[in-house]
């Protein structure tokens, strides 16, 4: 069974359910590492850690996400209007690339979006929104 990690800016989470719908086909052998962390990582004050990946305080969050990325065969990046500015999407892409390379990363532009890609991925193809293409790509 293939495992897919979905990286996206949380402003665009309404499209994640569309991606998950691929799984409703009983002949489709895949699962998603598509959830936020099951339990939030809290700081020393008991608040949710919302630090950037560059902040040492975010290491517990990185550790948990890195395990999900290592366990994934493919990475789907949903490109919305502000994805290019998400430090966490950038970090997830960079981290996944170390494990599986760029050919296992698909960037898919959300409908009605004109947003750009995270730094370092400008030469990577961005596909138009197509659940059929996504399903075919996952199976390759």
């Amino acid at each position: 069974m293939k495992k897919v990690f979905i990286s996206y800016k949380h402003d665009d989470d309404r499209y994640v359910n569309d991606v998950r719908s691929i799984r409703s086909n009983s002949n489709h052998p895949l699962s998603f590492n598509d959830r936020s962390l099951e339990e939030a990582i809290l700081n020393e004050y008991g608040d949710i850690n919302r630090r950037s990946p560059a902040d040492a305080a975010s290491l517990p969050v990185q550790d948990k996400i890195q395990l999900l990325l290592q366990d994934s065969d493919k990475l789907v990046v949903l490109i919305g209007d502000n994805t290019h500015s998400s430090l966490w999407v950038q970090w997830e892409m960079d981290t996944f690339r170390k494990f599986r390379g760029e050919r296992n990363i698909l960037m898919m532009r959300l409908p009605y979006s004109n947003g750009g890609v995270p730094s370092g991925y400008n030469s990577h193809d961005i596909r138009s929104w197509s659940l059929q293409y996504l399903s075919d790509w996952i199976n390759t």
Side-chain angles (χ1 to χ4, degrees):
M1 179 180 297
K2 290 189 179 179
K3 291 188 180 176
V4 178
F5 187 96
I6 304 171
S7 182
Y8 61 98
K9 190 160 171 63
H10 285 282
D11 297 348
D12 303 318
D13 61 358
R14 68 178 183 251
Y15 292 99
V16 173
N17 284 333
D18 291 341
V19 174
R20 287 182 189 144
S21 72
I22 294 171
R23 185 176 38 206
S24 65
N25 176 348
S26 61
N27 296 321
H28 212 301
L30 82 140
S31 66
F32 290 102
N33 284 334
D34 62 350
R35 63 195 183 285
S36 294
L37 297 176
E38 289 179 9
E39 293 184 28
I41 304 296
L42 305 179
N43 64 20
E44 65 272 16
Y45 304 107
D47 298 320
I48 294 175
N49 185 333
R50 298 191 191 278
R51 307 277 178 110
S52 81
D55 190 321
S58 73
L59 286 176
V61 177
Q62 289 181 31
D63 291 343
K64 295 220 178 212
I65 293 173
Q66 183 169 317
L67 290 174
L68 294 173
L69 290 167
Q70 282 179 300
D71 192 39
S72 298
D73 301 298
K74 305 260 187 171
L75 174 68
V76 174
V77 182
L78 303 181
I79 304 295
D81 288 335
N82 296 306
T83 304
H84 66 282
S85 65
S86 172
L87 297 175
W88 279 103
V89 170
Q90 172 83 48
W91 179 85
E92 290 166 352
M93 292 177 75
D94 292 344
T95 302
F96 182 85
R97 181 169 53 182
K98 291 176 191 173
F99 301 125
R100 303 278 188 255
E102 280 193 41
R103 71 180 188 93
N104 292 306
I105 298 174
L106 173 67
M107 290 192 283
M108 185 163 280
R109 186 174 305 284
L110 298 176
Y112 313 110
S113 170
N114 294 313
V117 300
S119 177
Y121 293 88
N122 292 333
S123 63
H124 200 285
D125 288 340
I126 303 175
R127 296 293 177 164
S128 296
W129 182 253
S130 167
L131 293 178
Q132 182 60 54
Y133 181 85
L134 176 60
S135 180
D136 293 345
W137 177 80
I138 288 170
N139 282 321
T140 61

